[in-house]
Coordinates of all heavy atoms in Angstrom, one line a residue:
T33 N -2.5 17.4 11.0 CA -2.2 18.1 9.7 C -1.1 19.1 10.0 O -1.1 19.7 11.1 CB -3.4 18.8 9.1 OG1 -3.0 19.5 7.9 CG2 -4.1 19.7 10.0
T34 N -0.2 19.3 9.1 CA 0.8 20.4 9.2 C 0.2 21.8 8.9 O 0.9 22.8 9.1 CB 2.0 20.1 8.3 OG1 1.5 20.1 7.0 CG2 2.7 18.8 8.7
G35 N -1.1 21.8 8.5 CA -1.8 23.0 8.3 C -2.4 23.6 9.5 O -2.2 23.1 10.6
T36 N -3.2 24.6 9.4 CA -3.8 25.3 10.5 C -5.3 25.1 10.6 O -5.9 25.7 11.6 CB -3.5 26.9 10.4 OG1 -4.1 27.3 9.1 CG2 -2.0 27.1 10.4
R37 N -5.9 24.4 9.7 CA -7.3 24.1 9.8 C -7.6 22.7 10.3 O -7.1 21.8 9.8 CB -8.0 24.4 8.4 CG -7.9 25.8 8.0 CD -8.7 26.0 6.6 NE -8.6 27.3 6.2 CZ -9.2 27.7 5.0 NH1 -9.9 26.8 4.3 NH2 -9.1 29.0 4.7
T38 N -8.6 22.6 11.2 CA -9.0 21.3 11.6 C -9.8 20.7 10.5 O -10.4 21.4 9.7 CB -9.9 21.3 12.9 OG1 -11.0 22.2 12.6 CG2 -9.1 21.9 14.1
A72 N -5.1 20.1 14.0 CA -4.3 21.1 13.3 C -3.1 21.4 14.0 O -3.0 22.5 14.6 CB -5.2 22.3 13.0
A73 N -2.1 20.5 14.0 CA -0.9 20.8 14.8 C -0.1 21.9 14.2 O 0.8 22.5 14.9 CB 0.0 19.5 14.8
G74 N -0.3 22.2 12.9 CA 0.4 23.3 12.3 C 0.1 24.7 12.8 O 0.8 25.7 12.5
R75 N -0.9 24.8 13.7 CA -1.2 26.1 14.3 C -0.2 26.4 15.4 O 0.0 27.6 15.7 CB -2.6 26.0 15.0 CG -3.8 26.0 14.1 CD -5.1 25.9 14.9 NE -6.2 25.9 14.1 CZ -7.5 25.8 14.5 NH1 -7.7 25.7 15.8 NH2 -8.5 25.8 13.7
Y76 N 0.5 25.4 15.9 CA 1.4 25.6 17.0 C 2.8 25.2 16.7 O 3.8 25.6 17.5 CB 0.9 24.8 18.2 CG -0.6 24.9 18.4 CD1 -1.5 24.0 18.0 CD2 -1.1 26.1 19.1 CE1 -2.9 24.2 18.1 CE2 -2.5 26.3 19.2 CZ -3.3 25.3 18.8 OH -4.7 25.5 18.9
L77 N 3.1 24.4 15.7 CA 4.4 23.9 15.3 C 4.6 24.1 13.9 O 3.7 24.0 13.1 CB 4.5 22.4 15.7 CG 4.4 22.1 17.2 CD1 3.9 20.7 17.4 CD2 5.8 22.3 17.9
L78 N 5.9 24.5 13.5 CA 6.2 24.7 12.1 C 6.0 23.5 11.2 O 6.4 22.4 11.7 CB 7.6 25.2 11.9 CG 7.9 26.6 12.6 CD1 9.4 26.9 12.5 CD2 7.1 27.7 11.9
L82 N 7.3 19.5 11.9 CA 6.4 18.4 12.1 C 6.8 17.3 11.1 O 6.9 16.1 11.4 CB 5.0 18.8 11.9 CG 4.3 19.5 13.0 CD1 3.0 20.1 12.6 CD2 4.1 18.6 14.2
P122 N -4.8 23.0 23.6 CA -5.1 22.2 22.4 C -4.1 21.1 22.1 O -4.5 20.0 21.5 CB -5.2 23.2 21.3 CG -5.5 24.5 21.9 CD -4.8 24.4 23.2

Side-chain angles (χ1 to χ4, degrees):
T33 176
T34 58
T36 58
R37 294 184 179 181
T38 57
R75 289 182 180 177
Y76 312 99
L77 296 153
L78 294 175
L82 285 166

